[in-house]
Amino acid sequence: MRCRHVLASLLATAVLAGCGGGIYLGWGDDDFGPPSVNLAAPVTSVPAGGTVRVVAAAADENGIDEVALYRIDGDRAVFVASDLSAPYEWDVLVPDDGRTTLRLFARATDGWGERADSRELVLTVTP
């Protein structure tokens, strides 16, 4: 009886896969590590009080669930925004508080819940 259920499940998987959907059957851990993520901007300096567009690229064999953007203020990370689908890009307001650099990073979360942070992106803030 169990064999009949396994066969029916495999047949359903094959039929659904041909229609663009499907059921994933797997055993063990199919996650090969955290995602990769990079953050970039088209400029190296930004005016205080202005905005700058930043773009993240993220990839993982299990897909990307979310990419979040953070600003570094002193020794803490401040959440700015998140995006659930590519392209991952944001227009960031540059603080007008006397700082001389804007430090940002992106955090990607994959389909297994693993996270990875990009390298810090440092932009010069001009008065």
Side-chain angles (χ1 to χ4, degrees):
M1 189 67 147
R2 177 161 164 64
C3 186
R4 193 176 311 161
H5 291 290
V6 172
L7 183 57
S9 179
L10 291 174
L11 181 58
T13 300
V15 169
L16 289 173
C19 297
I23 300 170
Y24 174 76
L25 296 176
W27 290 267
D29 186 4
D30 291 327
D31 189 25
F32 299 107
S36 63
V37 59
N38 293 298
L39 185 65
V43 296
T44 57
S45 66
V46 294
T51 60
V52 61
R53 176 156 291 222
V54 295
V55 178
D60 186 82
E61 72 277 356
N62 295 305
I64 298 296
D65 283 352
E66 177 185 36
V67 177
L69 181 67
Y70 291 86
R71 184 180 70 227
I72 304 294
D73 284 347
D75 61 351
R76 65 187 184 105
V78 176
F79 175 79
V80 175
S82 67
D83 202 338
L84 301 177
S85 61
Y88 309 105
E89 52 190 10
W90 304 270
D91 289 322
V92 178
L93 179 62
V94 180
D96 189 8
D97 58 3
R99 70 181 68 202
T100 57
T101 59
L102 175 63
R103 299 168 39 214
L104 304 165
F105 72 92
R107 175 172 291 155
T109 304
D110 71 10
W112 285 76
E114 288 192 294
R115 294 181 177 152
D117 293 345
S118 71
R119 289 186 177 174
E120 198 174 286
L121 174 66
V122 180
L123 303 173
T124 301
V125 177
T126 58

